[in-house]
Amino acid sequence: MVDTTIMAKILDAEIFETEWLVTGRVNPAYFSDKFEFREHGMELEGIENYARFVHNLYDQATVRAEVVSTLPCPDHADQITCTWRLSGTLDNGDPIKAQICRTIFTIDTYGIGLITYQETVSEVSEWDMLLSSFMPFLNGTITAGDAPPVPTRKPPVNPLKKDRFGTLLANVQSSFSLLYTGALCV
């Protein structure tokens, strides 16, 4: 059985460093071939489709995914929740209301510990996001205001990369995965 506490630390460090939730710069080594993603009623299959989708959805010059925390879910032994702040602009130029999101990763805890499912939910309702996008002057009046900034935190350490051997092992694993799945992500 996979230790979700260690996997949560790995994901925390990886997402903190690459902000893959908005950039698509994801390490495919952590994902199952049967990976599924869901957000706002949209569903995708496969990590490559997910990576392309998020990279093309956001303006890469402005978008941010600032990690607050990444922790195992106390009520679900196979889940990890990443809490993060989304801000910036969509690729079409529309502003994004700064908001707190929660991404729930489901881990195959009885296999080799890969992510099989990911779902992201926002603390802001869909109607609020839509209204704020078209009429940003309503932020904080009729619609909810922007989420507060994320407190500065020290970059987390990926347990796989703590020492030279761990770094070498992680790099070999990552390179193998990229070769196996083909050129992935931006």
Side-chain angles (χ1 to χ4, degrees):
M1 187 165 171
V2 173
D3 184 345
T4 55
T5 302
I6 292 172
M7 186 62 161
K9 289 178 182 179
I10 293 167
L11 293 178
D12 191 48
E14 291 276 339
I15 297 167
F16 185 93
E17 180 181 340
T18 67
E19 299 185 26
W20 90 43
L21 300 169
V22 296
T23 65
R25 293 186 335 231
V26 59
N27 185 341
Y30 302 118
F31 293 84
S32 165
D33 290 340
K34 297 177 182 172
F35 170 73
E36 296 178 12
F37 166 76
R38 180 184 307 177
E39 180 176 308
H40 301 295
M42 186 203 47
E43 296 181 24
L44 293 171
E45 291 182 8
I47 191 59
E48 289 185 37
N49 290 332
Y50 165 78
R52 276 191 213 98
F53 169 74
V54 295
H55 181 76
N56 292 326
L57 179 63
Y58 301 108
D59 171 16
Q60 296 300 307
T62 63
V63 72
R64 292 294 319 272
E66 299 169 277
V67 178
V68 176
S69 65
T70 308
L71 302 166
C73 295
D75 300 333
H76 302 281
D78 65 341
Q79 292 184 343
I80 295 169
T81 300
C82 178
T83 303
W84 55 286
R85 182 180 187 265
L86 169 64
S87 63
T89 309
L90 293 172
D91 192 51
N92 67 6
D94 289 344
I96 299 169
K97 174 190 292 245
Q99 57 196 275
I100 299 297
C101 299
R102 285 184 175 68
T103 296
I104 298 125
F105 298 98
T106 301
I107 311 297
D108 175 16
T109 54
Y110 292 100
I112 59 173
L114 299 178
I115 299 168
T116 57
Y117 183 77
Q118 175 181 328
E119 182 170 6
T120 298
V121 293
S122 172
E123 290 186 352
V124 177
S125 69
E126 288 186 38
W127 73 265
D128 189 317
M129 284 188 269
L130 186 62
L131 191 57
S132 296
S133 178
F134 289 113
M135 296 182 247
F137 57 88
L138 295 177
N139 271 359
T141 56
I142 294 176
T143 63
D146 286 342
V150 173
T152 303
R153 60 185 278 224
K154 183 179 174 184
V157 176
N158 184 333
L160 294 177
K161 299 178 182 179
K162 276 188 173 179
D163 57 35
R164 279 188 243 161
F165 180 73
T167 301
L168 176 63
L169 183 61
N171 288 339
V172 168
Q173 177 187 20
S174 177
S175 297
F176 176 75
S177 295
L178 288 172
L179 288 173
Y180 177 71
T181 60
L184 176 66
C185 311
V186 293

XYZ file of all heavy atoms in Angstrom, residues 42-120:
624
model
N -16.785 19.308 -16.976
C -16.000 18.846 -18.114
C -15.132 17.681 -17.662
O -14.583 17.705 -16.561
C -15.115 19.966 -18.639
C -14.410 19.558 -19.897
S -12.940 20.490 -20.208
C -12.125 20.486 -18.670
N -15.009 16.675 -18.510
C -14.189 15.515 -18.185
C -13.184 15.260 -19.291
O -13.493 15.426 -20.471
C -15.078 14.290 -17.991
C -16.025 14.432 -16.821
C -16.910 13.210 -16.607
O -16.524 12.114 -17.040
O -17.968 13.377 -16.001
N -11.974 14.873 -18.892
C -10.912 14.526 -19.832
C -10.284 13.206 -19.403
O -10.249 12.902 -18.205
C -9.811 15.592 -19.842
C -10.146 16.965 -20.382
C -9.013 17.932 -20.098
C -10.387 16.897 -21.872
N -9.756 12.471 -20.366
C -9.019 11.251 -20.063
C -7.591 11.406 -20.562
O -7.365 11.923 -21.656
C -9.677 10.043 -20.733
C -11.017 9.693 -20.142
C -11.634 8.454 -20.777
O -10.959 7.774 -21.569
O -12.794 8.183 -20.467
N -6.636 10.972 -19.743
C -5.234 10.986 -20.130
C -4.508 12.239 -19.679
O -5.029 13.348 -19.782
N -3.291 12.048 -19.186
C -2.517 13.167 -18.657
C -2.095 14.140 -19.757
O -2.017 15.348 -19.528
C -1.310 12.668 -17.825
C -0.669 13.830 -17.058
C -0.295 11.940 -18.676
C -1.586 14.545 -16.116
N -1.838 13.657 -20.959
C -1.461 14.566 -22.047
C -2.611 15.506 -22.402
O -2.398 16.698 -22.621
C -1.004 13.782 -23.278
C 0.339 13.108 -23.083
C 0.838 12.427 -24.340
O 0.626 12.962 -25.442
O 1.449 11.360 -24.203
N -3.826 14.973 -22.453
C -4.995 15.813 -22.744
C -5.185 16.862 -21.649
O -5.501 18.023 -21.936
C -6.253 14.959 -22.879
C -6.235 14.115 -24.126
O -5.606 14.473 -25.126
N -6.898 12.976 -24.087
N -5.006 16.450 -20.410
C -5.121 17.388 -19.287
C -4.081 18.502 -19.403
O -4.391 19.685 -19.276
C -4.966 16.641 -17.958
C -4.716 17.558 -16.790
C -5.766 18.278 -16.216
C -3.442 17.732 -16.269
C -5.538 19.140 -15.152
C -3.211 18.584 -15.209
C -4.265 19.279 -14.647
O -4.033 20.141 -13.603
N -2.831 18.114 -19.641
C -1.731 19.094 -19.714
C -1.979 20.114 -20.821
O -1.803 21.316 -20.622
C -0.405 18.373 -19.929
N -2.394 19.633 -21.980
C -2.688 20.555 -23.095
C -3.855 21.476 -22.749
O -3.827 22.666 -23.051
C -3.011 19.759 -24.361
C -1.797 19.332 -25.115
C -2.172 18.775 -26.504
N -1.236 17.736 -26.835
C -1.433 16.437 -26.691
N -2.579 15.979 -26.270
N -0.506 15.571 -26.997
N -4.889 20.900 -22.157
C -6.081 21.674 -21.810
C -5.743 22.833 -20.884
O -6.072 23.984 -21.175
C -7.141 20.775 -21.169
C -8.267 21.549 -20.550
C -9.227 22.162 -21.350
C -8.357 21.693 -19.177
C -10.260 22.905 -20.779
C -9.374 22.428 -18.600
C -10.331 23.029 -19.405
N -5.067 22.551 -19.751
C -4.808 23.640 -18.800
C -3.810 24.647 -19.375
O -3.941 25.845 -19.130
C -4.370 23.144 -17.406
C -5.476 22.365 -16.738
C -3.100 22.356 -17.437
N -2.849 24.181 -20.138
C -1.886 25.117 -20.731
C -2.576 26.073 -21.705
O -2.268 27.263 -21.736
C -0.767 24.364 -21.452
C 0.242 25.286 -22.049
N 1.197 25.929 -21.293
C 0.430 25.716 -23.313
C 1.926 26.696 -22.079
N 1.485 26.593 -23.308
N -3.510 25.568 -22.483
C -4.208 26.400 -23.471
C -5.343 27.230 -22.870
O -5.778 28.206 -23.469
C -4.744 25.541 -24.612
C -3.626 24.957 -25.442
O -2.584 25.580 -25.629
N -3.820 23.744 -25.924
N -5.830 26.862 -21.698
C -6.924 27.582 -21.058
C -6.476 28.930 -20.492
O -7.210 29.910 -20.536
C -7.525 26.729 -19.938
C -8.676 27.335 -19.146
C -9.885 27.601 -20.049
C -9.055 26.409 -17.997
N -5.254 28.964 -19.969
C -4.782 30.146 -19.246
C -3.710 30.915 -20.007
O -2.934 30.346 -20.757
C -4.211 29.725 -17.884
C -5.206 29.020 -17.003
C -5.105 27.657 -16.770
C -6.247 29.723 -16.413
C -6.028 27.003 -15.957
C -7.165 29.083 -15.598
C -7.047 27.720 -15.377
O -7.956 27.091 -14.574
N -3.664 32.241 -19.750
C -2.578 33.085 -20.257
C -1.354 32.782 -19.396
O -1.305 33.143 -18.219
C -2.970 34.554 -20.147
C -1.831 35.500 -20.456
O -0.817 35.062 -21.042
O -1.949 36.682 -20.099
N -0.380 32.117 -19.969
C 0.770 31.641 -19.209
C 1.632 32.774 -18.630
O 2.391 32.557 -17.702
C 1.613 30.695 -20.067
C 0.877 29.421 -20.446
C 0.446 28.614 -19.228
O 1.257 28.307 -18.361
N -0.838 28.285 -19.143
N 1.490 33.972 -19.142
C 2.268 35.102 -18.620
C 1.691 35.644 -17.310
O 2.405 36.290 -16.541
C 2.335 36.225 -19.657
N 0.402 35.389 -17.049
C -0.231 35.987 -15.874
C -0.791 34.986 -14.865
O -0.957 35.337 -13.701
C -1.398 36.904 -16.290
O -2.406 36.110 -16.941
C -0.924 38.023 -17.210
N -1.101 33.789 -15.291
C -1.798 32.843 -14.419
C -0.880 32.336 -13.308
O 0.328 32.177 -13.499
C -2.392 31.665 -15.225
C -1.309 30.720 -15.715
C -3.451 30.941 -14.421
N -1.485 32.115 -12.136
C -0.753 31.577 -10.988
C -1.587 30.513 -10.303
O -2.811 30.622 -10.218
C -0.465 32.682 -9.957
C 0.498 33.758 -10.365
C 1.932 33.303 -10.581
N 2.458 32.356 -9.614
C 3.059 32.681 -8.464
N 3.204 33.929 -8.123
N 3.528 31.735 -7.671
N -0.903 29.512 -9.784
C -1.500 28.499 -8.919
C -0.602 28.444 -7.683
O 0.376 27.714 -7.646
C -1.553 27.148 -9.602
N -0.936 29.249 -6.681
C -0.122 29.354 -5.476
C -0.614 28.348 -4.439
O -1.728 28.450 -3.942
C -0.200 30.762 -4.915
C 0.319 31.815 -5.888
C -0.015 33.204 -5.437
O -1.154 33.648 -5.704
O 0.854 33.835 -4.790
N 0.238 27.380 -4.116
C -0.142 26.289 -3.223
C -0.188 26.773 -1.774
O 0.761 27.366 -1.275
C 0.833 25.099 -3.353
C 0.460 23.986 -2.379
C 0.851 24.574 -4.781
N -1.324 26.489 -1.138
C -1.485 26.750 0.291
C -1.009 25.527 1.062
O -0.196 25.612 1.974
C -2.957 27.070 0.632
C -3.146 27.237 2.135
C -3.440 28.296 -0.127
N -1.536 24.346 0.677
C -1.150 23.100 1.335
C -1.554 21.919 0.464
O -2.445 22.028 -0.380
C -1.818 22.974 2.710
O -3.230 22.861 2.544
N -0.881 20.808 0.682
C -1.219 19.548 0.023
C -1.141 18.471 1.095
O -0.062 18.190 1.623
C -0.246 19.238 -1.138
O -0.180 20.378 -1.992
C -0.715 18.035 -1.941
N -2.292 17.890 1.428
C -2.376 16.968 2.567
C -3.230 15.744 2.248
O -4.188 15.844 1.474
C -2.993 17.687 3.767
C -2.282 18.948 4.256
C -3.174 19.721 5.205
C -0.973 18.564 4.906
N -2.930 14.617 2.895
C -3.807 13.452 2.751
C -5.184 13.780 3.323
O -5.298 14.529 4.297
C -3.123 12.371 3.603
C -1.727 12.844 3.810
C -1.778 14.345 3.743
N -6.228 13.231 2.720
C -7.588 13.439 3.229
C -7.800 12.518 4.428
O -7.628 11.306 4.303
C -8.620 13.123 2.154
S -8.552 14.220 0.753
N -8.171 13.073 5.570
C -8.327 12.229 6.764
C -9.445 11.191 6.641
O -9.371 10.138 7.253
C -8.609 13.226 7.890
C -8.991 14.500 7.224
C -8.437 14.477 5.844
N -10.467 11.486 5.839
C -11.609 10.580 5.717
C -11.515 9.594 4.556
O -12.360 8.724 4.427
C -12.907 11.390 5.568
C -13.148 12.285 6.762
O -12.687 11.960 7.871
O -13.798 13.338 6.588
N -10.511 9.781 3.683
C -10.367 8.923 2.500
C -8.892 8.555 2.343
O -8.089 9.380 1.902
C -10.872 9.630 1.245
C -12.301 10.047 1.335
N -13.340 9.163 1.146
C -12.876 11.242 1.625
C -14.489 9.799 1.301
N -14.241 11.063 1.598
N -8.556 7.333 2.649
C -7.155 6.889 2.646
C -6.507 6.951 1.267
O -5.286 6.968 1.161
C -7.058 5.466 3.197
N -7.319 7.021 0.215
C -6.763 7.032 -1.142
C -6.797 8.417 -1.783
O -6.598 8.550 -2.984
C -7.497 6.032 -2.030
C -8.964 6.383 -2.249
O -9.529 7.170 -1.451
O -9.553 5.870 -3.213
N -7.024 9.459 -0.985
C -7.129 10.806 -1.559
C -6.187 11.809 -0.896
O -5.899 11.718 0.294
C -8.567 11.327 -1.460
C -9.521 10.565 -2.350
C -10.922 11.135 -2.314
O -11.295 11.893 -1.431
N -11.717 10.749 -3.293
N -5.749 12.765 -1.728
C -4.896 13.865 -1.291
C -5.549 15.145 -1.799
O -5.995 15.198 -2.951
C -3.477 13.720 -1.875
C -2.801 12.470 -1.303
C -2.641 14.972 -1.626
C -1.517 12.093 -2.004
N -5.609 16.172 -0.956
C -6.195 17.452 -1.358
C -5.124 18.530 -1.402
O -4.400 18.736 -0.429
C -7.308 17.888 -0.383
O -8.324 16.894 -0.377
C -7.904 19.225 -0.798
N -5.054 19.208 -2.540
C -4.179 20.367 -2.699
C -5.070 21.605 -2.670
O -5.977 21.742 -3.496
C -3.411 20.296 -4.019
S -2.356 21.741 -4.298
N -4.827 22.489 -1.716
C -5.551 23.760 -1.622
C -4.639 24.826 -2.202
O -3.465 24.909 -1.839
C -5.898 24.076 -0.155
O -6.659 22.991 0.383
C -6.694 25.368 -0.046
N -5.180 25.611 -3.132
C -4.346 26.578 -3.851
C -5.161 27.794 -4.280
O -6.381 27.757 -4.304
C -3.683 25.918 -5.057
C -4.616 25.230 -6.031
C -5.268 24.034 -5.847
C -4.981 25.671 -7.332
N -6.023 23.716 -6.962
C -5.863 24.707 -7.891
C -4.648 26.791 -8.095
C -6.416 24.828 -9.161
C -5.205 26.910 -9.362
C -6.072 25.934 -9.884
N -4.459 28.873 -4.597
C -5.100 30.119 -5.029
C -4.871 30.311 -6.525
O -3.739 30.342 -6.995
C -4.516 31.308 -4.273
C -5.162 32.645 -4.625
C -4.499 33.750 -3.795
N -5.155 35.028 -3.937
C -4.772 35.978 -4.797
N -3.752 35.784 -5.610
N -5.422 37.129 -4.842
N -5.963 30.429 -7.260
C -5.936 30.665 -8.706
C -6.094 32.162 -8.950
O -6.981 32.802 -8.388
C -7.084 29.907 -9.376
C -7.377 30.219 -10.845
C -6.197 29.830 -11.725
C -8.652 29.503 -11.285
N -5.230 32.708 -9.811
C -5.356 34.114 -10.210
C -4.726 34.299 -11.582
O -3.993 33.434 -12.049
C -4.675 35.042 -9.187
O -3.290 34.776 -9.140
N -5.018 35.420 -12.216
C -4.432 35.720 -13.518
C -5.479 35.982 -14.569
O -6.523 36.590 -14.303
N -5.206 35.487 -15.775
C -6.059 35.747 -16.929
C -6.228 34.475 -17.741
O -5.296 33.679 -17.854
C -5.394 36.828 -17.827
O -5.039 37.943 -17.014
C -6.314 37.297 -18.925
N -7.415 34.316 -18.312
C -7.637 33.217 -19.250
C -6.920 33.532 -20.558
O -6.608 34.690 -20.843
C -9.131 33.027 -19.510
C -9.963 32.548 -18.324
C -11.453 32.599 -18.676
C -9.555 31.158 -17.897
N -6.718 32.529 -21.376
C -6.028 32.715 -22.647
C -6.774 33.690 -23.570
O -6.161 34.362 -24.386
C -5.824 31.360 -23.342
C -4.871 31.461 -24.510
O -3.764 32.004 -24.321
O -5.237 31.024 -25.619
N -8.095 33.794 -23.413
C -8.874 34.706 -24.250
C -8.839 36.149 -23.748
O -9.484 37.025 -24.313
C -10.319 34.213 -24.377
C -11.082 34.282 -23.072
O -10.600 34.797 -22.065
N -12.289 33.733 -23.069
N -8.097 36.397 -22.655
C -7.966 37.753 -22.130
C -8.882 38.078 -20.970
O -8.715 39.115 -20.329
N -9.860 37.218 -20.677
C -10.766 37.473 -19.556
C -10.024 37.324 -18.229
O -9.269 36.363 -18.044
C -11.951 36.494 -19.570
C -12.932 36.771 -20.694
O -12.879 37.877 -21.282
O -13.750 35.882 -20.992
N -10.263 38.260 -17.302
C -9.612 38.140 -15.991
C -10.219 36.998 -15.183
O -11.394 36.661 -15.347
C -9.910 39.490 -15.333
C -11.157 39.972 -15.994
C -11.112 39.438 -17.409
N -9.395 36.406 -14.342
C -9.855 35.355 -13.431
C -9.989 35.980 -12.052
O -9.061 36.632 -11.567
C -8.840 34.198 -13.358
C -8.646 33.559 -14.723
C -9.279 33.159 -12.326
C -7.472 32.590 -14.779
N -11.150 35.793 -11.438
C -11.309 36.244 -10.057
C -10.366 35.399 -9.198
O -10.364 34.171 -9.285
C -12.740 36.013 -9.597
C -12.946 36.333 -8.124
C -14.297 35.876 -7.627
C -15.366 36.687 -8.245
N -16.131 37.506 -7.352
N -9.527 36.043 -8.406
C -8.634 35.299 -7.511
C -9.484 34.485 -6.551
O -10.372 35.029 -5.890
C -7.712 36.253 -6.764
N -9.245 33.177 -6.518
C -10.099 32.283 -5.745
C -9.311 31.111 -5.189
O -8.269 30.736 -5.724
C -11.226 31.754 -6.629
C -10.698 31.031 -7.862
C -11.745 30.854 -8.924
O -12.487 29.886 -8.855
N -11.795 31.771 -9.893
N -9.832 30.563 -4.120
C -9.240 29.368 -3.520
C -9.890 28.145 -4.170
O -11.113 28.068 -4.280
C -9.448 29.339 -1.990
C -8.776 30.543 -1.341
C -8.933 28.018 -1.404
C -7.260 30.592 -1.505
N -9.039 27.229 -4.615
C -9.501 25.982 -5.237
C -8.981 24.807 -4.429
O -7.974 24.916 -3.723
C -8.974 25.879 -6.669
S -9.530 27.193 -7.756
N -9.669 23.706 -4.579
C -9.213 22.458 -3.974
C -9.181 21.401 -5.067
O -10.186 21.162 -5.730
C -10.135 22.036 -2.847
C -9.932 22.879 -1.617
C -10.764 22.442 -0.431
N -10.434 23.217 0.738
C -10.685 24.506 0.905
N -11.270 25.183 -0.036
N -10.345 25.136 2.009
N -8.011 20.814 -5.227
C -7.864 19.729 -6.183
C -7.704 18.448 -5.389
O -6.818 18.346 -4.530
C -6.652 19.962 -7.102
O -6.893 21.149 -7.871
C -6.444 18.797 -8.050
N -8.584 17.501 -5.675
C -8.563 16.211 -4.987
C -7.969 15.187 -5.939
O -8.475 14.991 -7.044
C -9.973 15.798 -4.533
C -10.512 16.836 -3.542
C -9.955 14.413 -3.890
C -11.821 17.396 -3.928
N -6.884 14.574 -5.498
C -6.228 13.515 -6.262
C -6.619 12.177 -5.650
O -6.509 12.001 -4.436
C -4.704 13.643 -6.188
C -4.164 14.916 -6.758
C -3.846 15.987 -5.937
C -3.950 15.046 -8.122
C -3.327 17.165 -6.454
C -3.442 16.220 -8.654
C -3.131 17.285 -7.820
N -7.055 11.245 -6.483
C -7.305 9.887 -6.025
C -6.118 9.043 -6.454
O -5.721 9.054 -7.623
C -8.617 9.330 -6.605
O -9.691 10.184 -6.193
C -8.882 7.912 -6.107
N -5.551 8.328 -5.495
C -4.339 7.552 -5.694
C -4.687 6.065 -5.684
O -5.468 5.610 -4.851
C -3.321 7.831 -4.554
C -3.121 9.323 -4.326
C -2.010 7.095 -4.792
C -2.542 10.085 -5.460
N -4.075 5.320 -6.582
C -4.216 3.858 -6.585
C -3.320 3.333 -5.469
O -2.157 2.996 -5.694
C -3.794 3.303 -7.950
C -3.793 1.796 -7.973
O -4.391 1.167 -7.077
O -3.175 1.224 -8.895
N -3.849 3.285 -4.256
C -3.034 2.935 -3.095
C -2.673 1.456 -3.034
O -1.774 1.085 -2.287
C -3.735 3.334 -1.779
O -5.036 2.753 -1.758
C -3.829 4.838 -1.654
N -3.345 0.613 -3.785
C -3.018 -0.817 -3.762
C -2.169 -1.227 -4.951
O -1.724 -2.354 -5.051
C -4.294 -1.663 -3.675
C -4.969 -1.474 -2.343
C -6.060 -0.636 -2.205
C -4.465 -2.108 -1.215
C -6.656 -0.443 -0.967
C -5.054 -1.915 0.022
C -6.146 -1.087 0.137
O -6.722 -0.891 1.363
N -1.943 -0.306 -5.853
C -1.059 -0.564 -6.986
C 0.291 0.059 -6.690
O 0.812 -0.052 -5.573
N 0.830 0.799 -7.667
C 2.134 1.431 -7.458
C 2.006 2.899 -7.043
O 2.984 3.622 -7.012
C 3.041 1.286 -8.701
C 2.407 1.911 -9.940
C 3.397 -0.167 -8.930
C 3.339 1.946 -11.133
N 0.788 3.321 -6.722
C 0.595 4.644 -6.146
C 0.440 5.778 -7.125
O 0.740 6.919 -6.802
N -0.049 5.485 -8.322
C -0.226 6.533 -9.326
C -1.569 7.235 -9.160
O -2.522 6.674 -8.624
C -0.114 5.938 -10.725
C 1.233 5.289 -11.059
C 1.187 4.695 -12.456
C 2.366 6.287 -10.936
N -1.645 8.459 -9.659
C -2.885 9.236 -9.614
C -3.810 8.711 -10.704
O -3.435 8.649 -11.877
C -2.606 10.730 -9.833
C -1.682 11.261 -8.734
C -3.911 11.530 -9.894
C -1.110 12.638 -9.015
N -5.017 8.328 -10.315
C -5.989 7.800 -11.273
C -7.088 8.813 -11.591
O -7.724 8.718 -12.639
C -6.655 6.524 -10.728
O -7.268 6.818 -9.469
C -5.635 5.404 -10.559
N -7.305 9.776 -10.688
C -8.417 10.715 -10.859
C -8.057 12.039 -10.191
O -7.410 12.072 -9.152
C -9.675 10.125 -10.218
C -10.920 10.952 -10.386
C -11.613 10.964 -11.588
C -11.394 11.724 -9.341
C -12.764 11.729 -11.741
C -12.549 12.486 -9.480
C -13.220 12.483 -10.688
O -14.352 13.242 -10.828
N -8.505 13.119 -10.818
C -8.271 14.463 -10.278
C -9.518 15.297 -10.519
O -10.034 15.343 -11.627
C -7.067 15.094 -10.974
C -6.807 16.525 -10.597
C -5.608 17.097 -11.341
O -4.665 16.380 -11.649
N -5.658 18.380 -11.644
N -9.983 15.943 -9.478
C -11.130 16.838 -9.604
C -10.819 18.140 -8.879
O -10.315 18.129 -7.764
C -12.382 16.203 -9.007
C -13.611 17.066 -9.157
C -14.902 16.347 -8.796
O -14.857 15.210 -8.312
O -15.956 16.955 -8.997
N -11.108 19.252 -9.539
C -10.869 20.561 -8.937
C -12.197 21.255 -8.706
O -13.048 21.285 -9.595
C -9.960 21.421 -9.841
O -8.699 20.763 -9.967
C -9.743 22.806 -9.253
